[in-house]
Amino acid sequence: MRSYGQYCGLARSLEVVGDRWNLLIVRQLLIAPARYRDLIDGLPGIATNLLADRLRDLETSGVIERRLASAGSVVEYALTPWGAELRRPIESLIRWSTPLMLRGPEGDSFRPEWLALAVPALLDTRVEVRPSAAIGLEIGGPPLQLRSTPSGFAVGPHDGRALDATVRADPACILGLAAGALTLSDARALGLVEIDGDESVVRTVLAA
């Protein structure tokens, strides 16, 4: 492991997770434990040999672990309890990134599963009143759902339960609404979003 040679918590943290791709690997594993092939698919642009090196380094450092998946003898990667503590700093970086996200994807890759971490991170610090709500998100691809409870928000595949409303928009619009950088009224006026169902529920969550 490369060392900065500094007795500083930030320096020592960066020695573990500061290399290129490391935090994105952690992002994928915060969404869910994953097999090697799942990580390749979820990290567009990473070379297979580089992923293998990064996984080995993170495992050696105690951030991730290998284990048998519940279905048979397939090996999957998961965060250790210590590795899972990276959720809060990663969510803080997602919130910090809002000015960088305003210009849109500009041709960059996007996977809907990334909203599972980003949208709750953006909403959790803005929405003070959290009524029970279920909002479908149609962003192109398999439908997602945003559920809110008094304890927090979660985004994942639609599980078939009834929805209060459905929002159709591109990912940049959803992120802008969740961050508070785009108002729902402006998004409607610009034709960036369509809403079916109870719009008041959408406003309670996304227009706080």
Side-chain angles (χ1 to χ4, degrees), residues 14-89:
L14 290 175
E15 289 170 2
V16 174
V17 297
D19 281 340
R20 183 174 172 84
W21 294 104
N22 278 6
L23 284 181
L24 296 183
I25 293 170
V26 173
R27 176 199 66 193
Q28 293 303 113
L29 297 180
L30 282 170
I31 296 170
R35 297 172 299 177
Y36 183 83
R37 175 49 54 186
D38 297 330
L39 290 171
I40 287 289
D41 292 341
L43 294 164
I46 195 170
T48 56
N49 61 328
L50 181 57
L51 175 58
D53 288 344
R54 294 293 188 259
L55 289 172
R56 183 175 58 250
D57 291 345
L58 289 170
E59 185 178 9
T60 300
S61 299
V63 176
I64 68 173
E65 62 185 1
R66 285 178 292 174
R67 65 189 191 191
L68 292 180
S70 56
S73 59
V74 177
V75 172
E76 66 179 9
Y77 293 89
L79 293 169
T80 64
W82 183 53
E85 291 178 13
L86 285 164
R87 177 180 292 275
R88 292 185 67 180

Side-chain angles (χ1 to χ4, degrees), residues 17-18 27 36-37 42 48 50 61 67 72 81 90 101 103 109 129 138 144 149 155 157 159 161 169 180 182 184:
V17 297
R27 176 199 66 193
Y36 183 83
R37 175 49 54 186
T48 56
L50 181 57
S61 299
R67 65 189 191 191
I90 286 175
M101 300 295 284
R103 63 179 185 262
S109 299
V129 179
E138 295 187 3
L144 302 173
T149 67
V155 172
D159 59 11
R161 288 184 287 173
L182 177 67
L184 190 58

Side-chain angles (χ1 to χ4, degrees), residues 100 103-109:
L100 305 175
R103 63 179 185 262
E106 297 183 327
D108 286 347
S109 299

